[in-house]
Amino acid sequence: MTIRFDNRVAIVTGAGNGLGRAHALLLASRGAKVVVNDPGGARDGRGGDSAVADKVVAEIKAAGGQAVANYDSVAEQKAAANIVKTAVDAFGTVDIVVNNAGILRDKSFPNMSMDDFLLILQVHLMGSVYVTHAAWPILREKAYGRIVLTSSSSGLYGNFGQTNYSAAKLALVGFMNTLRLEGQKYNILVNSLAPVAGTRMTEDLMPAELIARMKPELVSPMVAYLCSEACTRSGEIWAAGVGYFSRVEFREGPGVRVAGQPTIEDVAANIDKIADLTTSKAYRTANEESQAVLAG
């Protein structure tokens, strides 16, 4: 089976460099019409350069594909909505949204300003929310959509100096968990990606020889699959990097049930059993987990 995206319109945010560029190039090479969004700022979000997005559009067109550039910031609601408008104006609709745009403002928590904390939330979390919210009515009306949110191992597992980034990236998983339920009846599938790639976002976090192995294009096949008609899975977290692909999930242990009014001492006496995940279970909805807690 060859997976293609003919007659599909894709938006890729932050597509001027790294992962976003690789995603955009792959989707376009398989027939998608692509909106290449990137304001062209530095890694910390400062500045801007329209040539960054224009260069990727030129690459796509040189290879025989179709693409248009957009330079809006996802961090502002009206600007984010204009990204979707660019897709509709250029290609008539939108089918796929890859929320990839992001910046870094890393510092240990006591040294981090609240402005930098909020800015990262605004770009990563609210940027994804704004673009998805603008595209949602179109996807719902046509009863088709594929949405990819870019999470991170920093959000799933933690990383020193990235409390702002980690908070935003795990918040996107919570956003996905409910959005996939709301999109079910409309054939709108929503998944999260935790990529491992050598980009300007990670260039000073790892050795150069390791960065050289972690090519962004080794992640993009997972993104493209999640954007395709072949994908029927939704509400899941996927790890990808260096040709490695895996599914990640949260699990809950069987726990301990204490009769009557539990005391602090009851918790202390049973903490090892409470923490035991040997026979853990993954729940698909909050209600499903609540019913398990109430049972018995």
Side-chain angles (χ1 to χ4, degrees):
M1 177 180 65
T2 299
I3 293 177
R4 291 194 57 82
F5 299 90
D6 301 300
N7 301 315
R8 295 296 186 192
V9 177
I11 292 169
V12 183
T13 66
N17 292 287
L19 284 166
R21 172 181 171 273
H23 302 340
L25 291 174
L26 180 56
L27 289 169
S29 74
R30 294 296 186 99
K33 301 170 184 176
V34 181
V35 175
V36 177
N37 160 260
D38 204 308
R43 188 175 72 165
D44 63 3
R46 293 182 173 90
D49 184 357
S50 61
V52 172
D54 288 341
K55 183 179 178 181
V56 178
V57 169
E59 284 185 81
I60 290 172
K61 288 184 174 179
Q66 299 183 64
V68 294
N70 174 279
Y71 320 112
D72 288 294
S73 168
V74 299
E76 300 172 11
Q77 186 173 4
K78 289 184 178 179
N82 195 55
I83 300 171
V84 177
K85 184 177 183 297
T86 298
V88 174
D89 289 348
F91 302 123
T93 189
V94 60
D95 303 284
I96 297 162
V97 178
V98 179
N99 291 289
N100 171 78
I103 62 171
L104 288 180
R105 295 280 179 96
D106 290 356
K107 280 188 178 179
S108 63
F109 187 59
N111 296 319
M112 183 179 294
S113 73
M114 288 296 96
D115 285 344
D116 280 352
F117 199 104
L118 288 170
L119 178 62
I120 294 300
L121 292 179
Q122 191 67 21
V123 173
H124 289 270
L125 174 59
M126 294 311 301
S128 297
V129 171
Y130 290 151
V131 176
T132 302
H133 189 263
W136 194 264
I138 300 170
L139 305 180
R140 179 171 163 164
E141 177 66 25
K142 69 196 304 180
Y144 182 87
R146 298 291 184 268
I147 297 170
V148 176
L149 303 166
T150 305
S151 183
S152 169
S153 58
S154 294
L156 299 176
Y157 307 115
N159 196 33
F160 191 93
Q162 291 194 317
T163 52
N164 50 1
Y165 183 79
S166 298
K169 289 305 191 183
L170 192 56
L172 285 167
V173 174
F175 178 53
M176 172 197 74
N177 286 338
T178 292
L179 199 62
R180 67 105 178 166
L181 296 174
E182 297 187 7
Q184 259 178 351
K185 66 185 287 188
Y186 302 104
N187 190 28
I188 303 173
L189 309 186
V190 189
N191 286 281
S192 292
L193 175 78
V196 178
T199 69
R200 64 178 185 162
M201 298 278 277
T202 58
E203 62 188 2
D204 58 356
L205 302 177
M206 302 175 186
E209 58 272 18
L210 184 57
I211 291 289
R213 289 181 53 210
M214 298 163 52
K215 297 178 180 178
E217 54 266 34
L218 298 177
V219 172
S220 296
M222 174 58 81
V223 174
Y225 168 75
L226 296 174
C227 292
S228 73
E229 294 179 47
C231 178
T232 59
R233 308 184 71 113
S234 188
E236 296 180 322
I237 309 165
W238 304 92
V242 202
Y244 166 86
F245 305 97
S246 179
R247 186 169 70 88
V248 181
E249 68 179 7
F250 296 112
R251 303 189 68 84
E252 185 167 331
V256 172
R257 196 173 298 278
V258 179
Q261 173 61 55
T263 66
I264 304 171
E265 289 75 20
D266 287 329
V267 175
N270 289 284
I271 194 63
D272 288 339
K273 291 181 179 178
I274 293 169
D276 185 18
L277 294 174
T278 305
T279 57
S280 60
K281 180 177 179 180
Y283 295 103
R284 291 294 285 161
T285 68
N287 184 60
E288 185 180 334
E289 190 267 354
S290 295
Q291 291 300 317
V293 171
L294 292 170

